Amino acid sequence: MSFIELDTSRAAHILARLQSAAQVRADALFERVETRRRWWSSGTAPDQCGDFSVPEGTVSSPSVRREEGLAVRLVSAQRSWIESRDGCTSFDFEQAQRRVARSSPTVPLPPLELETKPWINRPAKILDGLPAKIESALRELRVAFSFSLEMIEHRRELLLIGPDLLSEPQLEHFLSVRVDMGGIRLGSLYPIAGADARFDAQALDLAATMADAFRSRDAQPPPWGTYDVVFSPQATAILLHEAVAHALEVDLLELSGSVEGAIGVQLGSQLLDVLDDPSSAPTGVRRTHDDEGSPSIRRWLLREGAVHQPLADLSWSLRSALVDPGAGRRATRHDTPGPRSYFLELLAGDSSRSDLLHGRGLWIDRIDRARLAPVSGEIELRIASGRRFDSGTFSDRLGPFSIRVHLAEALSQVVAVGSEARAGGAGWCAKDGQRLPVWAQCPSLRVERLIVSAQ
Amino acid sequence: MSHEVDSVRNQLLEALETCSEPEKEIFFKSGRSRIVTFTAAGPQQPRLVHQTLNEHGYTARYGTPTSSATWSEVGVPSTILGAPRLGTGLQLPTKDLVSRLAARAPARNRPSLDLDRPLFSEGEASRLISTLMDHLASDLGRSLQVQGRLEDGVAQTILVNGHGVEEQWRTRTASLRVDVRMGGLHESAYVAAAQGQAIHPRSLAQRLVDKLSVEEKARRVAADRQVAVLAPEVIAALLGAIAPLFHRPIDLSTPLNEEVTVVDDGGLEGGVFAAPFDGEGVPTRRTELICRGHARDWLRAWDDGEGLQHSTGHQVPIVGCRRRVSWRDVPRKGTSHVVLEPSQRSPRALLEEMGSGYYLIGSSAVPGVDQSGYLILPVIGFQIASSALHSPIRARLRIAPHEVLARIRAVGRDLQFHVLGCAVGAPSILMDDVELVR
C-alpha cells in the first residue's frame, strides 16, 4: 500500500517520453517521511539533555516532522538533471518534468493525477516503555548513573517509478536512540517490526552496552604495539563497512584506480565472504528496491576474499557493463543518489569462541568512529572500549585507542571468523554529507598483528 | 512576489488563531536552489549533475512556559494540529521587545535587486566549472581527480508569533566547494558569498594549486614551539572552533593584545548568513565581543536573563542570535559572522616582524580535540628564516582553546571569510609560542 495514488503506467509513459536516447533513463521518486523525536532524562542537568529539559523520569512530547515530496530525474552516464520539490501534487510533478526536460513553459505536458493519502495519526506511545526497561536492565546489571535519552522514530515511505519498471512501495521504519551519560555518548539503531514493537531485547542490549561503557570510563589505552585483535560482531560490522563496503563503492574505487580492474583482485583472506543484500535486512528496514527503483540484488562484494561485484548505482551501470545497479541510495529526495551499502553480511565461519580468543590479544567491543581514506586505502578506527584477553579469559578493561591500517593489510591478516553471526553494527554513515542508516549481520573476527596506539 | 508573501503571511496568521496555547509561533521558509555537482578523473570531461530544489515548509512551536511541543510539515499550515505538549517550556519574544530592539539597531536588509537576480543558469555554471578545471589542469597537469559542488539559492522567510511579532525577510547564498586529489595528496577549498557573481573560480583554483604544491614538497615537522604567522584560513579554523565560547560572558583573566577586536554581526553587509532577524524574529546587530583586547559583550539572547552582566557593570545588549539551519529546525544560539577585525599591516610586514619561525598557509580540516581538550589542526606552510621562505612543512598545530586569542601578537589586514558552521572572517596574524606536533 502506497501513501500516494496515481496511475503508475501513465506516469511511466510520461517518463518514457523524457528519454531522448537509449542510454538515458528517466525516473520519479515519491517520498513521505515522518520522524517523532522524544526525550527522557533520569535527572541529568537540562543542558545535558540536548537543548531540552524534561521532568525527571518522564518522556517528553514528540517533536514531529512530516514531509512529502517528489524528485524527477533524467540520468545518463555523463550528465544528469534532477528536480526535487516539497509537495506531491500534479502541479509539482508537471513542474519537475518540465525542469528536467528543460522545456519551455508554453509547451503542454501530459497531466498526471496525483493524490496523497491522509497522514495516519499513529499512537505516540510506542517508545513510552523503553526508558523504564533500560533502567530495569541496568539495575539487573548492578550499575546506576544518570543518563538522558533521545529517541527518534523514523518512518520513510518511497514509491519509485521508471519508464520500464515500477518498484513496490518501500518502507524503512526504525528507532534511533542516543544516550548521554555525562561525557559518554552512545548511539544505536533498531528496526521497528510493527505497531506493537516492545523493544525488550533492544533495551537489554542497550543497557549492557551502557553498563560496559560506564565500567570502562576510566580505563587506560593499551601501550603502543602490535597485537592480535578480535573484533566483536558490532565492531566487525564497522570494520567491514569501511574496509569492504566503502572501498568497493564505485565512486570511491575510481579514486584509487579502475573499477573494472578491481574485479577479481584478492583483497583479503579467503575466509571472507561479504555480501550486501538489502532484501535480507531485518523486518522494518527490508528493501526490495534501491532509492532509484532498481531491484536490490544479493551482491557478493568479496567471495573468498576476492572482489566480486562493486556497489554501483544506475549512473555508473550506464558507464560500465561490468557493474550492476541496485545500490543507489540518497538520504532524501533533495539529494543526489550515489552507490552505498545498506545491509552488510559477513558469512559465519567455523571458529568457536575459544578458537577466536586463544593466546593473548585485545578484544574490541565498541568502535566510536571509523574512516577510510579512499585514495591511500588507510582505515582509522577509533575504539571506545575493549578488553585484554588471555587464553579465552578477559582481563583489564581498555580505554580509548585507535588502529590505523591499510584496508588490504587488515583484510589479509584475518585468521579466524566466528561461527555465530549477530545482527549489529547498525549506525549512521555520513559519506558525502548524506546521513544514511546502515545495517549489518556479522560474526566476530580475529585479525593478527595490528598496530595499536593511544588516540 | 510581495502579493504571494502577503497571502502566505495571512494564512500563517489564520493558522496561529486556531491554536489556543499562550505561546505559539510559526516559522515558514520557502526556498529555491540550484546545485551542480561535478566529478572529473584525469583528462575526461567532468560528469555533471544539475539539480534544482524547491523547498517550502514550516515549524510550529506552541505551549506554555513549562511545557511545549513542535510540529514541522511541508507546505503552508491551515491549522496547528500538533501533538500534546510535555517537557520543555516555551517563551517567545513580544512585539514590544522586538520593536524596542529594532529601534536601537535598525534592521538592515540587502537591496532587493541582488535578491531578484536569477540563480546560476546551466550555461553559467558549466562555464564556471570549466574555467576552474582548465586553471587546475594548466597548473597541475591532467592527472587530477576533482570533485565539486556549486550551489546558488534564495529563500523567503516569514515568522509570526502569538505576541504580535510578524517579520519577513529574504536571504541569498552561493557557494563552491572543490576537492582535488593528485597522487596521494588531497586538498579542498570552499568559498561562499551572498552573490554567485562574487565567486571567482580562478582564485579558488589558485588556492588549491598553492596548497597542493606546498603539500607535495612538505617535510613533516618534529615537535617544535616557535613564533608563527597564521594565514586567514588557519586562524579562521581556530576561531570557528572557539566561537561557542562567545555564547556566555567571556572570562579573560588578563587582557589580550590591544590589536585583538572580535565582533559578531548577524546582519553583516554582504555576509553569507546575513539576515535582519534571527530565527525567533529578534533583530540582529553588530556585537563587540572583544574590544582592543578587553572582553566586552557576548551573545546575549532576549531571554538570557538580567543576572548575567558584564563584570564592569556595563549593560550587555540583547541581540538576535538564535539561528535555524532550515525550516525543519528549532532555533539554537550561535554566531553568524565572527570577525577578527583587521589592522593596517600587510602579511609581508608580519613575516618581517617574525624574522624566523613558521608561516602556516593552509588547513584542510576543522580542528579536532585531543584528550586534554586541546585543539588539533593539520596545517601546511613554510619554515621561515630571516623573513624568507625556507622549506615547505606539514605538521599538526596544538593549542588550548583559551590560548587562541591570548597568543596573538599582531594582526594583519588581509581579511578573508571562511564558512565553518558560521562565517568566520580573519586576517593573517602573528602568534607567539605556537606548538607544532607530528
Side-chain angles (χ1 to χ4, degrees):
Chain A
M1 283 287 284
S2 170
F3 69 94
I4 187 164
E5 285 180 354
L6 77 168
D7 181 344
T8 49
S9 58
R10 181 162 176 77
H13 177 69
I14 290 170
L15 291 168
R17 285 170 50 131
L18 298 176
Q19 297 184 170
S20 53
Q23 282 299 299
V24 175
R25 296 279 185 278
D27 55 40
L29 170 143
F30 301 91
E31 181 185 52
R32 175 176 271 188
V33 176
E34 181 170 4
T35 60
R36 290 165 174 262
R37 187 185 301 246
R38 308 182 80 179
W39 293 267
W40 177 93
S41 166
S42 69
T44 46
D47 62 352
Q48 287 182 308
C49 187
D51 283 351
F52 295 83
S53 56
V54 262
E56 187 177 328
T58 56
V59 178
S60 78
S61 61
S63 166
V64 180
R65 177 166 66 89
R66 284 178 170 177
E67 289 190 40
E68 57 192 20
L70 58 83
V72 174
R73 187 175 68 141
L74 201 56
V75 56
S76 70
Q78 266 324 103
R79 200 170 260 231
S80 305
W81 290 266
I82 305 173
E83 164 85 3
S84 57
R85 301 180 73 87
D86 286 347
C88 268
T89 63
S90 303
F91 174 77
D92 288 312
F93 185 72
E94 187 196 316
Q95 290 298 309
Q97 56 165 317
R98 188 179 294 287
R99 180 77 69 174
V100 297
R102 299 172 312 290
S103 69
S104 152
T106 56
V107 176
L109 290 173
L112 178 70
E113 292 300 319
L114 292 177
E115 195 173 342
T116 53
K117 293 178 181 168
W119 290 90
I120 298 168
N121 288 314
R122 291 188 312 282
K125 295 185 181 301
I126 192 167
L127 302 177
D128 281 356
L130 183 62
K133 286 174 185 170
I134 294 171
E135 282 201 309
S136 161
L138 287 172
R139 275 195 297 275
E140 294 281 317
L141 293 166
R142 299 184 180 280
V143 285
F145 45 81
S146 294
F147 64 98
S148 61
L149 297 174
E150 181 189 59
M151 303 168 285
I152 310 177
E153 182 190 350
H154 304 256
R155 188 182 169 88
R156 182 181 187 221
E157 293 175 73
L158 296 176
L159 182 69
L160 294 128
I161 301 173
D164 49 7
L165 54 89
L166 165 68
S167 77
E168 58 190 79
Q170 304 291 304
L171 171 68
E172 288 176 22
H173 193 192
F174 62 96
L175 165 68
S176 68
V177 182
R178 204 176 65 171
V179 186
D180 189 334
M181 297 158 59
I184 303 172
R185 288 187 178 169
L186 309 170
S188 201
L189 306 182
Y190 302 107
I192 299 177
D196 54 351
R198 290 176 49 81
F199 301 112
D200 291 339
Q202 291 85 343
L204 288 175
D205 172 68
L206 187 56
T209 307
M210 290 165 66
D212 191 64
F214 179 74
R215 288 173 176 143
S216 301
R217 64 195 183 283
D218 296 322
Q220 296 300 307
W224 184 92
T226 303
Y227 297 86
D228 290 352
V229 173
V230 179
F231 292 81
S232 69
Q234 287 83 357
T236 299
I238 295 172
L239 169 70
L240 296 182
H241 179 79
E242 300 300 328
V244 179
H246 276 319
L248 296 185
E249 287 162 354
V250 283
D251 54 344
L252 296 186
L253 204 51
E254 191 194 39
L255 296 175
S256 56
S258 118
V259 173
E260 288 84 357
I263 296 172
V265 168
Q266 190 71 34
L267 193 61
S269 155
Q270 293 196 340
L271 298 170
L272 292 171
D273 287 309
V274 184
L275 296 104
D276 182 69
D277 184 6
S279 62
S280 298
T283 309
V285 292
R286 190 168 297 154
R287 295 284 302 266
T288 58
H289 290 74
D290 69 359
D291 291 347
E292 300 179 297
S294 304
S296 298
I297 54 173
R298 189 166 168 80
R299 189 183 301 257
W300 287 81
L301 301 175
L302 295 185
R303 195 188 277 262
E304 295 185 351
V307 176
H308 197 73
Q309 176 65 269
L311 288 156
D313 61 354
L314 180 61
S315 169
W316 280 88
S317 71
L318 293 172
R319 299 174 66 202
S320 168
L322 291 176
V323 293
D324 294 326
R329 299 187 67 198
R330 49 182 155 189
T332 74
R333 62 197 171 280
H334 295 306
D335 293 301
T336 313
R340 301 281 281 267
S341 145
Y342 186 78
F343 179 67
L344 200 67
E345 268 183 272
L346 168 63
L347 298 190
D350 53 10
S351 297
S352 64
R353 181 188 149 91
S354 57
D355 294 336
L356 288 164
L357 299 178
H358 75 84
R360 288 182 179 177
L362 307 180
W363 164 263
I364 292 183
D365 212 17
R366 195 161 52 85
I367 297 178
D368 248 359
R369 204 173 296 173
R371 194 176 67 88
L372 167 72
V375 176
S376 68
E378 188 183 79
I379 306 168
E380 182 183 5
L381 304 172
R382 295 174 78 96
I383 291 113
S385 64
R387 303 285 291 263
R388 279 183 197 279
F389 66 81
D390 189 349
S391 304
T393 308
F394 286 127
S395 55
D396 305 346
R397 290 183 182 277
L398 299 169
F401 58 100
S402 59
I403 294 174
R404 282 175 191 233
V405 61
H406 192 279
L407 68 94
E409 201 179 329
L411 296 176
S412 60
Q413 288 165 199
V414 171
V415 292
V417 177
S419 54
E420 280 181 44
R422 278 186 55 192
W428 295 99
C429 169
K431 178 189 163 193
D432 292 339
Q434 285 197 48
R435 198 162 171 263
L436 287 167
V438 287
W439 310 91
Q441 178 163 307
C442 296
S444 291
L445 195 67
R446 181 171 175 127
V447 186
E448 288 191 328
R449 304 186 314 279
L450 290 180
I451 296 174
V452 163
S453 61
Q455 282 180 9
Chain B
M1 183 70 184
S2 68
H3 172 70
E4 285 173 27
V5 172
D6 288 346
S7 160
V8 171
R9 192 188 59 217
N10 290 339
Q11 285 184 63
L12 298 180
L13 289 169
E14 282 170 23
L16 207 61
E17 286 298 309
T18 65
C19 178
S20 58
E21 301 283 352
E23 301 289 334
K24 51 191 173 182
E25 172 203 74
I26 303 175
F27 177 92
F28 172 87
K29 194 167 182 179
S30 165
R32 198 161 56 86
S33 311
R34 180 154 302 150
I35 299 170
V36 185
T37 48
F38 53 99
T39 313
Q44 296 166 356
Q45 281 294 307
R47 288 192 307 281
L48 299 171
V49 179
H50 297 273
Q51 190 177 359
T52 318
L53 272 74
N54 278 276
E55 295 185 88
H56 60 113
Y58 72 93
T59 289
R61 296 192 294 163
Y62 53 88
T64 68
T66 54
S67 65
S68 71
T70 67
W71 188 275
S72 307
E73 214 164 4
V74 162
V76 184
S78 54
T79 177
I80 298 181
L81 283 172
R85 55 183 169 75
L86 181 67
T88 317
L90 178 69
Q91 275 188 294
L92 297 166
T94 62
K95 188 176 180 179
D96 279 355
L97 174 85
V98 169
S99 304
R100 257 189 296 126
L101 295 174
R104 282 185 211 160
R108 294 158 290 173
N109 204 351
R110 288 171 292 171
S112 59
L113 183 68
D114 294 344
L115 296 166
D116 290 336
R117 260 186 100 103
L119 301 179
F120 271 121
S121 69
E122 197 175 311
E124 284 175 311
S126 298
R127 277 194 296 280
L128 188 146
I129 291 163
S130 99
T131 306
L132 175 90
M133 300 295 291
D134 288 348
H135 197 82
L136 287 171
S138 70
D139 278 13
L140 297 171
R142 290 273 169 192
S143 60
L144 295 175
Q145 289 159 332
V146 183
Q147 288 179 311
R149 180 182 165 99
L150 173 68
E151 188 165 357
D152 191 9
V154 63
Q156 170 76 56
T157 303
I158 306 173
L159 184 140
V160 296
N161 80 17
H163 298 308
V165 173
E166 289 177 31
E167 305 294 359
Q168 60 198 50
W169 64 95
R170 296 172 74 190
T171 46
R172 180 148 191 183
T173 308
S175 64
L176 173 62
R177 181 188 167 86
V178 184
D179 283 88
V180 180
R181 290 184 170 86
M182 188 175 73
L185 306 176
H186 174 210
E187 279 296 345
S188 60
Y190 178 83
V191 61
Q195 290 284 298
Q197 287 68 27
I199 291 178
H200 301 295
R202 282 174 188 277
S203 64
L204 190 75
Q206 191 56 53
R207 259 169 60 194
L208 284 162
V209 169
D210 291 346
K211 286 166 73 174
L212 280 165
S213 307
V214 171
E215 198 180 351
E216 192 176 17
K217 295 168 191 150
R219 67 178 168 84
R220 192 167 280 283
V221 172
D224 198 3
R225 268 179 185 274
Q226 285 261 20
V227 63
V229 172
L230 276 56
E233 184 174 306
V234 181
I235 184 65
L238 297 175
L239 205 51
I242 64 167
L245 297 178
F246 303 126
H247 295 186
R248 300 189 64 76
I250 301 155
D251 180 21
L252 290 180
S253 45
T254 51
L256 309 174
N257 185 303
E258 68 166 18
E259 286 192 35
V260 177
T261 294
V262 181
V263 302
D264 182 62
D265 189 351
L268 184 74
E269 189 73 30
V272 180
F273 300 114
F277 304 97
D278 75 350
E280 290 186 320
V282 178
T284 55
R285 55 172 286 165
R286 178 184 158 94
T287 308
E288 279 201 333
L289 304 164
I290 292 170
C291 179
R292 295 175 173 274
H294 292 273
R296 192 168 162 79
D297 301 332
W298 48 280
L299 285 188
R300 182 182 167 204
W302 68 275
D303 58 347
D304 269 342
E306 297 293 325
L308 295 169
Q309 288 300 320
H310 194 273
S311 53
T312 60
H314 150 79
Q315 181 71 30
V316 178
I318 290 168
V319 59
C321 57
R322 294 235 168 88
R323 295 172 57 202
R324 299 195 194 227
V325 178
S326 75
W327 61 260
R328 301 162 179 84
D329 299 284
V330 294
R332 291 177 202 280
K333 191 188 258 196
T335 48
S336 356
H337 305 88
V338 190
V339 183
L340 173 61
E341 297 264 290
S343 75
Q344 300 298 317
R345 300 175 207 224
S346 66
R348 173 99 218 152
L350 295 177
L351 288 170
E352 281 168 3
E353 184 175 337
M354 176 175 72
S356 296
Y358 293 103
Y359 181 24
L360 306 177
I361 64 158
S363 159
S364 299
V366 291
V369 179
D370 72 6
Q371 279 190 303
S372 321
Y374 278 62
L375 301 174
I376 299 285
L377 181 66
V379 289
I380 53 168
F382 295 92
Q383 186 160 22
I384 303 289
S386 306
S387 305
L389 300 183
H390 192 256
S391 58
I393 57 111
R394 73 170 84 173
R396 294 191 304 154
L397 190 157
R398 181 174 184 268
I399 190 166
H402 66 276
E403 293 286 342
V404 171
L405 296 173
R407 290 201 187 149
I408 293 177
R409 191 204 297 176
V411 177
R413 68 181 180 203
D414 53 335
L415 179 67
Q416 283 178 17
F417 278 87
H418 295 268
V419 175
L420 303 145
C422 63
V424 184
S428 295
I429 55 131
L430 176 59
M431 186 179 261
D432 286 321
D433 199 22
V434 174
E435 183 183 4
L436 298 180
V437 294
R438 281 187 75 85

